[in-house]
Amino acid sequence: MPDAATEPHPLDPVQPVFNQETQRATRMSTAPVSRATACLAGALLAVALCPPNAVAMAKAGAEFDRTAACVAVMKPRLATLADRYRAGDDAVKDELTSLAERSFALVGAAYEAGLRKAEAEQRLAAAEAAQKTAPAATLDRLMTTCRAEGATVLANANPVERALVKSAARARIMRLRQR
């Protein structure tokens, strides 16, 4: 009957079984590798070597296009409000601030999801071109939806993200006023 001290436990690290002498020497001379560690290492290697999921990439692309469409529809309204604010109409400041914050929140979320400047500019240009021929009613619905989406993103942001967005919007409005 094998000695209980030398018999491997089912949760012990995986060891090649040659004989009891080899097994004792192996346990003392090298760090044991458990089955769980080996499986985890294999899974991490598989994830690292596999190409990104095409479905996830397509979904992110659609979300980036949506963000670009929102920014494109908000830009003219922001420009109109900024012109009025520069002309001394302080009554538009709250709407200008709210719209700028929502726009910055959408852009920040896209940036956090991986969208970078060069691609963002291309997507924005495409969205602006598409909106030139869109009916006014379609653009109005898009503006309403995008405002709501921006508000949701801002509401769901953590306190640091929210502070960054609000600070960026304030800085932008201050620059607009000084022009």
Side-chain angles (χ1 to χ4, degrees):
M1 181 168 194
D3 183 1
T6 60
E7 188 172 314
H9 186 274
L11 298 178
D12 277 349
V14 177
Q15 296 291 329
V17 179
F18 300 109
N19 61 39
Q20 288 183 353
E21 291 294 320
T22 307
Q23 194 171 11
R24 278 191 207 116
T26 304
R27 282 189 177 167
M28 289 191 282
S29 64
T30 61
V33 177
S34 70
R35 285 188 178 118
T37 303
C39 288
L40 179 61
L44 290 174
L45 182 62
V47 169
L49 296 177
C50 288
N53 183 342
V55 174
M57 289 176 60
K59 184 179 177 190
E63 289 174 8
F64 295 160
D65 286 340
R66 177 62 179 195
T67 298
C70 285
V71 171
V73 80
M74 290 177 171
K75 271 179 72 174
R77 181 66 182 153
L78 282 166
T80 301
L81 292 171
D83 289 342
R84 288 178 54 192
Y85 187 61
R86 268 193 301 272
D89 185 359
D90 289 335
V92 299
K93 184 180 180 186
D94 289 341
E95 184 182 358
L96 177 62
T97 302
S98 173
L99 193 57
E101 287 175 353
R102 291 169 186 198
S103 177
F104 275 95
L106 291 170
V107 170
Y111 180 83
E112 192 174 44
L115 184 64
R116 296 300 178 256
K117 187 175 181 176
E119 184 182 357
E121 288 173 351
Q122 291 172 350
R123 289 179 187 271
L124 180 59
E128 287 173 336
Q131 289 178 11
K132 285 181 182 177
T133 59
T138 301
L139 296 176
D140 289 342
R141 283 192 304 274
L142 181 60
M143 173 67 87
T144 301
T145 304
C146 290
R147 282 180 189 238
E149 288 175 17
T152 300
V153 169
L154 193 57
N156 292 334
N158 67 43
V160 173
E161 293 167 335
R162 200 172 305 118
L164 288 171
V165 165
K166 289 180 178 276
S167 175
R170 273 194 311 271
R172 176 68 174 214
I173 291 168
M174 287 175 59
R175 282 194 309 271
L176 289 172
R177 184 66 186 242
Q178 294 171 353
R179 284 186 181 177

